Amino acid sequence: MTCDITIKDVAKQANVSVATVSRVLNGLDRVSDQTRKKVLKVVKELNYVPNTMAASMITKQTQMLAVVVPEIENPFYTSVIKGTVNVAKERGYNTFVFSTNDSESEEDTFFESSLRRNVDGIVLIGAHKDPVFYQKMNKPVILVDRYIDGCGLDGVIIDNFGGAYEATKYLIEYGHRDIAIITGPQTFNDGTERYWGYQQALKDNGIELVSDYQKHGDWFENNGYQSTKELMKLPKPPTAIFAANNLICQGTIKALRDLDLTIGLDVSLVGFDANDLAEFVKPRVSVVKRPTYEMGTHAAEMLIEKLKQVEKNESFPKKVTLGVELQKFGSVKYLG
Amino acid sequence: MTCDITIKDVAKQANVSVATVSRVLNGLDRVSDQTRKKVLKVVKELNYVPNTMAASMITKQTQMLAVVVPEIENPFYTSVIKGTVNVAKERGYNTFVFSTNDSESEEDTFFESSLRRNVDGIVLIGAHKDPVFYQKMNKPVILVDRYIDGCGLDGVIIDNFGGAYEATKYLIEYGHRDIAIITGPQTFNDGTERYWGYQQALKDNGIELVSDYQKHGDWFENNGYQSTKELMKLPKPPTAIFAANNLICQGTIKALRDLDLTIGLDVSLVGFDANDLAEFVKPRVSVVKRPTYEMGTHAAEMLIEKLKQVEKNESFPKKVTLGVELQKFGSVKYLG
DNA sequence: TTGAAAGCGATACCAG
DNA sequence: CTGGTATCGCTTTCAA
């Protein structure tokens, strides 16, 4: 394990030129079988490891990607990261993992790092809201989960509207009319689309929107916890709750537990995105499941595909929407 | 946001030499205030971003670290990663995240990548068992959580023995004598030390070891689940269980739930490492808590410290042991 | 205080 | 098929 041996050392030892060693190592050119073997033997003997950076300076490709997420400890993001990193690895790329705390300025820092390091491309769950910001990117970027319309970039998102609509419709079909939603900020499509889905399902079924039933906070567990408590304190509490992401749902489950309310009996609940507690409690909580790992793999594949066709026509931005699935368990009571 | 502007462009535009630009940018040399300002102005105008790689080729420092973990989706590792990445960021390093699936060969792949890319150092939760392997490292490495004696590397570990001992003693003090352990493989210190702690506590209190009460599987949830079911099927089931890591504990909790056994009433339980379910269930499960995030930060700090004193005396390997804390909740029944 | 020039370790073009 | 060499973008002597 050394890295202070250079291509020159190999060339000298093998009695060939550096050009030849380079050819052998990259398997590109025609090299006689004899020299090839000779070089390879020396490479092994000397334990030579090529310096990627030196090569990058010429090829202009670093074989490095970056994946940028708001929070590395949220299992959803971890799953996306894993998908990205795995595909990247298979295709010969190494991946930087950045966590921005959902802060625009931290994200900026990382963009600069990425530029300085010349990463080939970026998988991004971004904090910036302004499409103009993204338009300035002169590196291949795939947006994941959040998509900014008009930014001109490719994206992999999920059917937020459809998922929320299905979840709400499901509650309605089971006879619920007093349905609350606990969701995050309406900054990105994840928030807005889920909220629209909820709204639309109610409207389509002639149910009026009650502002008290709509809790817009952040995407964290505590919002789920507090909002649930507030909801259940209302003069006329909702009979069902739609928790619009994994952490909020966990908060809701905890709050209901602390309030001694039984899910599926006292209150019905549907979550968005899988989470530990939803799977654990009895009855298990129905959730809209989304393909988290696949979002990562898909994004990485799109990105790498794009890198290959650098010169190609600057085609229109491609937005891929992955489907979601409503998984029904016993957390919704049938009201007839 | 561009990266096709080079130091030459800046030099030309500012009517100075590249050497001068370099000096200004690195704030090293004495440069007249006038030229400094002039250069800085051009840098801003041209939106110049220096190419880190080119610099690295000369300085022999890449300002890149790698953190290698067995599994990126285990919250324990995520927490270590976060700690490492955050400290690295503060100190001006970017970090590669690698996940090895606990496979020696995958780990090897990553080591080669690290060499090719010339990372400055590595924070490693390793899969290799052989100290000889680690001895060959010629890069600064900090081992985390698992330590291989005789490998000659620095490490940050936790007091596995003490934690396990405390946990078991706690059960004994509450009157338990039929105490089971569910743990992982005895490959690394994490497994062996926790098992020793359990053993020693029993011995110190004159309790004989019962082989049926000792379940050695892997570190995953399913081991906790299956082993618990087997334990409770014994003619004389244990009155208490010590679950030796976070996932095993979650498995145990699920199994007990499925067996309709109440924690702290029918069976007592102590876990090792925090986990979602242990915090959720009532009564909350007592656990040995370890400073996961701090393990990451500590390791990163040690690593970066080490990088600074490259030339310094190759001091003896330093092994830092962080303490753990037994957090007692209602999951242990008092048998008198 | 500043500039010229020699590399760093690889690739790739052009000859031979 | 093989070798010489310019080059990539930057740092760092050495002179001026």
Side-chain angles (χ1 to χ4, degrees):
Chain A
M1 288 263 191
T2 15
C3 50
D4 32 329
I5 307 266
T6 77
I7 197 171
K8 278 187 192 165
D9 301 318
V10 177
K12 197 178 296 172
Q13 185 80 11
N15 267 318
V16 295
S17 70
V18 292
T20 301
V21 177
S22 178
R23 285 191 195 100
V24 172
L25 260 39
N26 294 306
L28 299 173
D29 249 13
R30 2 8 30 151
V31 180
S32 83
D33 231 44
Q34 211 181 358
T35 36
R36 155 167 283 105
K37 275 177 189 156
K38 190 168 57 177
V39 170
L40 254 22
K41 188 162 148 274
V42 174
V43 164
K44 185 152 284 181
E45 277 172 14
L46 261 44
N47 238 311
Y48 167 65
V49 178
N51 182 330
T52 311
M53 284 184 318
S56 300
M57 292 206 54
I58 295 175
T59 62
K60 301 296 177 200
Q61 296 199 2
T62 55
Q63 302 289 113
M64 300 194 295
L65 303 182
V67 53
V68 182
V69 301
E71 171 53 67
I72 198 179
E73 286 193 290
N74 182 328
F76 164 58
Y77 296 127
T78 317
S79 185
V80 174
I81 292 174
K82 188 173 181 179
T84 306
V85 170
N86 280 357
V87 167
K89 183 172 74 179
E90 275 169 27
R91 309 289 219 90
Y93 289 83
N94 287 143
T95 312
F96 283 114
V97 175
F98 290 148
S99 179
T100 61
N101 298 314
D102 228 342
S103 133
E104 300 201 348
S105 74
E106 288 202 45
E107 195 169 294
D108 291 340
T109 312
F110 288 129
F111 281 129
E112 195 180 314
S113 291
S114 299
L115 279 180
R116 297 174 101 99
R117 295 209 180 280
N118 253 300
V119 302
D120 290 339
I122 302 173
V123 169
L124 173 63
I125 301 180
H128 281 272
K129 308 162 195 53
D130 185 3
V132 176
F133 173 80
Y134 296 98
Q135 285 166 4
K136 293 187 303 185
M137 294 278 168
N138 68 338
K139 268 200 188 311
V141 174
I142 310 286
L143 297 179
V144 173
D145 195 41
R146 298 172 178 174
Y147 192 83
I148 314 292
D149 283 309
C151 67
L153 299 174
D154 290 349
V156 177
I157 59 174
I158 53 149
D159 185 5
N160 290 296
F161 178 89
Y165 189 92
E166 281 302 309
T168 311
K169 200 180 86 184
Y170 168 42
L171 290 167
I172 296 169
E173 283 171 354
Y174 268 58
H176 294 269
R177 300 186 69 81
D178 302 324
I179 303 172
I181 182 173
I182 307 175
T183 184
Q186 304 297 295
T187 318
F188 295 104
N189 56 314
D190 52 1
T192 54
E193 290 171 4
R194 286 177 212 169
Y195 179 57
W196 288 340
Y198 160 84
Q199 265 189 323
Q200 194 62 45
L202 293 183
K203 277 186 199 156
D204 287 353
N205 289 275
I207 300 175
E208 230 162 298
L209 290 168
V210 178
S211 66
D212 278 349
Y213 289 168
Q214 301 175 25
K215 296 290 185 182
H216 297 277
D218 58 33
W219 290 116
F220 297 110
E221 186 174 301
N222 194 46
N223 178 28
Y225 190 85
Q226 296 301 341
S227 295
T228 302
K229 287 210 160 173
E230 287 167 21
L231 285 170
M232 300 321 288
K233 249 186 259 159
L234 289 173
K236 188 185 177 192
T239 62
I241 297 175
F242 171 47
N245 90 334
N246 56 352
L247 302 183
I248 288 174
C249 186
Q250 299 212 156
T252 297
I253 293 171
K254 286 187 184 173
L256 293 178
R257 192 263 324 260
D258 288 353
L259 290 168
D260 267 323
L261 295 173
T262 303
I263 293 171
L265 198 62
D266 303 318
V267 190
S268 294
L269 175 62
V270 179
F272 200 105
D273 210 12
N275 66 80
D276 278 353
L277 296 191
E279 281 174 35
F280 175 72
V281 294
K282 298 276 180 186
R284 186 166 164 182
V285 175
S286 306
V287 296
V288 177
K289 205 154 189 180
R290 55 173 164 173
T292 54
Y293 181 81
E294 287 71 17
M295 292 170 79
T297 57
H298 210 94
E301 270 157 15
M302 280 171 64
L303 182 56
I304 295 171
E305 211 48 46
K306 193 160 193 163
L307 296 177
K308 286 183 172 174
Q309 20 172 294
V310 174
E311 306 297 326
K312 258 196 178 173
N313 51 337
E314 293 270 332
S315 56
F316 292 101
K318 187 164 67 176
K319 184 163 92 170
V320 175
T321 303
L322 302 181
V324 299
E325 186 193 356
L326 175 59
Q327 298 191 321
K328 302 178 182 177
F329 298 104
S331 67
V332 177
K333 185 178 181 182
Y334 187 66
L335 298 185
Chain B
M1 286 262 190
T2 16
C3 51
D4 32 328
I5 306 266
T6 77
I7 197 172
K8 279 186 191 165
D9 301 318
V10 177
K12 196 176 297 172
Q13 186 81 10
N15 267 317
V16 296
S17 71
V18 292
T20 301
V21 178
S22 178
R23 286 192 192 99
V24 171
L25 260 39
N26 294 306
L28 299 174
D29 251 11
R30 332 86 314 182
V31 180
S32 83
D33 231 43
Q34 209 182 359
T35 35
R36 154 168 285 105
K37 275 177 189 155
K38 189 168 55 177
V39 170
L40 255 21
K41 186 160 150 274
V42 174
V43 163
K44 184 153 281 181
E45 277 173 16
L46 261 43
N47 238 311
Y48 167 65
V49 178
N51 182 330
T52 310
M53 284 186 317
S56 300
M57 292 206 54
I58 296 176
T59 61
K60 302 295 177 199
Q61 296 199 4
T62 55
Q63 301 290 112
M64 300 193 296
L65 303 182
V67 53
V68 182
V69 301
E71 170 54 65
I72 198 180
E73 286 194 289
N74 182 328
F76 164 58
Y77 297 126
T78 317
S79 185
V80 174
I81 292 173
K82 188 173 180 179
T84 306
V85 170
N86 280 357
V87 167
K89 183 173 72 176
E90 275 169 26
R91 308 288 221 89
Y93 289 84
N94 287 142
T95 312
F96 284 114
V97 176
F98 289 148
S99 179
T100 61
N101 298 314
D102 229 341
S103 134
E104 300 201 347
S105 73
E106 287 202 45
E107 195 169 295
D108 290 341
T109 311
F110 287 130
F111 281 130
E112 196 181 313
S113 291
S114 300
L115 280 179
R116 298 174 101 100
R117 295 207 181 283
N118 254 301
V119 302
D120 290 337
I122 302 172
V123 169
L124 173 63
I125 302 181
H128 280 272
K129 305 162 196 53
D130 185 3
V132 176
F133 173 80
Y134 296 99
Q135 285 166 4
K136 294 186 304 185
M137 294 279 167
N138 69 337
K139 267 199 186 314
V141 174
I142 310 286
L143 297 179
V144 173
D145 195 40
R146 298 172 177 175
Y147 192 82
I148 314 293
D149 283 311
C151 67
L153 299 175
D154 288 350
V156 177
I157 60 174
I158 54 147
D159 186 5
N160 290 296
F161 178 89
Y165 189 94
E166 282 301 308
T168 312
K169 201 180 86 184
Y170 168 42
L171 290 167
I172 295 169
E173 282 171 355
Y174 269 58
H176 294 268
R177 300 186 69 82
D178 303 324
I179 303 172
I181 183 174
I182 308 175
T183 183
Q186 304 298 294
T187 318
F188 297 105
N189 56 315
D190 51 1
T192 55
E193 289 171 4
R194 285 175 212 170
Y195 179 56
W196 290 339
Y198 160 84
Q199 266 189 323
Q200 195 62 44
L202 293 183
K203 277 185 198 157
D204 287 353
N205 290 277
I207 300 176
E208 232 164 297
L209 290 167
V210 177
S211 66
D212 277 351
Y213 288 169
Q214 300 175 24
K215 296 290 186 184
H216 296 279
D218 57 34
W219 291 117
F220 296 111
E221 185 174 302
N222 194 45
N223 177 28
Y225 190 85
Q226 296 300 340
S227 295
T228 302
K229 287 212 159 172
E230 288 167 20
L231 285 170
M232 301 320 289
K233 250 187 257 161
L234 290 173
K236 189 185 178 193
T239 61
I241 297 175
F242 171 47
N245 91 334
N246 56 351
L247 301 183
I248 288 173
C249 186
Q250 298 212 156
T252 297
I253 293 171
K254 286 188 183 173
L256 293 178
R257 192 264 322 261
D258 289 353
L259 290 167
D260 266 323
L261 294 172
T262 304
I263 293 171
L265 198 62
D266 303 317
V267 190
S268 293
L269 174 62
V270 179
F272 200 105
D273 210 12
N275 65 80
D276 278 353
L277 297 190
E279 281 174 36
F280 176 72
V281 294
K282 299 275 178 187
R284 187 167 162 180
V285 176
S286 307
V287 296
V288 177
K289 204 153 188 180
R290 54 174 164 172
T292 55
Y293 181 81
E294 286 73 16
M295 293 172 78
T297 55
H298 210 94
E301 270 156 14
M302 282 172 64
L303 182 56
I304 294 170
E305 211 47 49
K306 195 162 193 161
L307 296 178
K308 286 183 172 173
Q309 18 173 293
V310 175
E311 306 297 325
K312 260 197 177 172
N313 52 338
E314 292 270 331
S315 56
F316 292 101
K318 186 165 69 175
K319 184 162 92 170
V320 174
T321 303
L322 301 181
V324 300
E325 186 193 356
L326 176 59
Q327 298 191 320
K328 302 178 183 178
F329 298 104
S331 67
V332 178
K333 185 179 183 182
Y334 186 66
L335 298 184

